Amino acid sequence: MDIVGSLVEDGWLRTPRIIKAFRKIRREDFMPLELKNAAEVNEAFPIGLGQTISQPLTVGFMLELLQPKEGDKVLDIGSGSGWTSALLAEIVGERGKVIGVEIIPALAEFGKKNIAKYNFIKRERVQIICGDGSKGYVKEAPYDKILCSASAKSLPEPWKEQLKINGRIVAPIGSSVWLFVKKSSKEFKSSEYPNFSFVPLVQ
Ligand code: SAH
């Protein structure tokens, strides 16, 4: 069975729109040439400059918590290879928008090149910004959803401010994945899911 099939069978992927995106956006399109034959392996792999493309199980788990919807505006912090940004773009559809922020210039370029294989850049559904995502990206705020793929020490204040009411943040803090739901301008409901592994967020 392929990796998407086994993530569905094991209950990690459940939402039809997310599963469809995982089938359409091929992980190998976001991996360096010499690793493409490992795209189906459920592990993180190096993409250069000390960074990795995340493990499929982790990305699936985080997207199921995030619950991106058609038409959503999503901020994808640590866009790296571009895989999560492209998955999100497929899920939010034509009326949606994804802003990816990547701090390492060469990886921002690598991500852009990979995402362009799906025409999302030309059609302006995805915009990749090179910068420090720990500050969010105020120019395009507010967001329906914020995803982060690098582990913070604590939840950055700007992310809370740049999120719409009822919006969701899914982000690693230490070695846990956290879900934050914005209940009012100052009130967040949070849940912790331990035992994951991430590269650190530069803060
Ligand atoms: N979403 C990516 C995951 C890449 S790993 C994928 O699907 O492959 C996490 C990425 O976060 C790395 O590329 C790293 O360079 C980036 N990163 C770390 N700190 C950051 C920061 N403060 N702002 C933006 N990106 C950051």
Side-chain angles (χ1 to χ4, degrees):
M1 198 187 297
D2 67 357
I3 180 75
V4 180
S6 56
L7 290 176
V8 172
E9 189 169 279
D10 295 343
W12 294 102
L13 292 178
R14 292 185 301 272
T15 307
R17 229 181 144 75
I18 299 179
I19 298 169
K20 227 175 108 199
F22 263 85
R23 292 228 176 275
K24 177 146 179 211
I25 308 297
R26 300 173 56 79
R27 190 178 184 227
E28 61 175 54
D29 287 336
F30 300 84
M31 292 175 72
L33 212 54
E34 66 280 11
L35 280 171
K36 284 199 191 297
N37 57 0
E40 290 287 309
V41 180
N42 196 7
E43 280 171 28
F45 286 102
I47 54 173
L49 299 141
Q51 305 305 322
T52 55
I53 183 168
S54 305
Q55 189 186 355
L57 185 152
T58 307
V59 173
F61 181 72
M62 292 176 88
L63 289 182
E64 287 287 351
L65 283 180
L66 192 67
Q67 289 176 30
K69 296 278 188 291
E70 207 176 344
D72 273 358
K73 191 173 202 182
V74 185
L75 182 64
D76 183 24
I77 296 161
S79 53
S81 72
W83 187 39
T84 49
S85 299
L87 284 167
L88 286 165
E90 182 62 30
I91 296 166
V92 300
E94 260 171 35
R95 291 184 303 114
K97 173 132 201 191
V98 179
I99 312 289
V101 186
E102 169 56 50
I103 203 164
I104 300 179
L107 285 182
E109 284 312 310
F110 178 63
K112 245 189 248 176
K113 206 180 80 207
N114 294 335
I115 296 164
K117 295 172 190 164
Y118 292 86
N119 249 329
F120 289 141
I121 303 265
K122 213 163 86 200
R123 286 186 273 157
E124 294 184 338
R125 207 189 293 181
V126 179
Q127 194 184 340
I128 299 294
I129 310 291
C130 185
D132 178 4
S134 70
K135 299 183 175 67
Y137 188 66
V138 75
K139 225 171 120 193
E140 290 283 340
Y143 302 98
D144 296 287
K145 311 279 153 66
I146 298 178
L147 175 72
C148 180
S149 307
S151 172
K153 291 193 186 80
S154 61
L155 185 67
E157 244 359 90
W159 300 359
K160 295 187 185 172
E161 283 156 21
Q162 292 172 25
L163 188 70
K164 292 183 192 171
I165 308 280
N166 290 321
R168 300 161 83 86
I169 300 175
V170 173
I173 296 174
S175 55
S176 293
V177 169
W178 283 79
L179 165 67
F180 300 91
V181 184
K182 189 165 180 172
K183 292 295 183 190
S184 68
S185 62
K186 290 269 167 288
E187 208 187 338
F188 284 78
K189 203 181 120 200
S190 64
S191 346
E192 180 181 8
Y193 305 85
N195 296 321
F196 288 87
S197 157
F198 293 92
V199 299
L201 182 77
V202 180
Q203 267 172 303

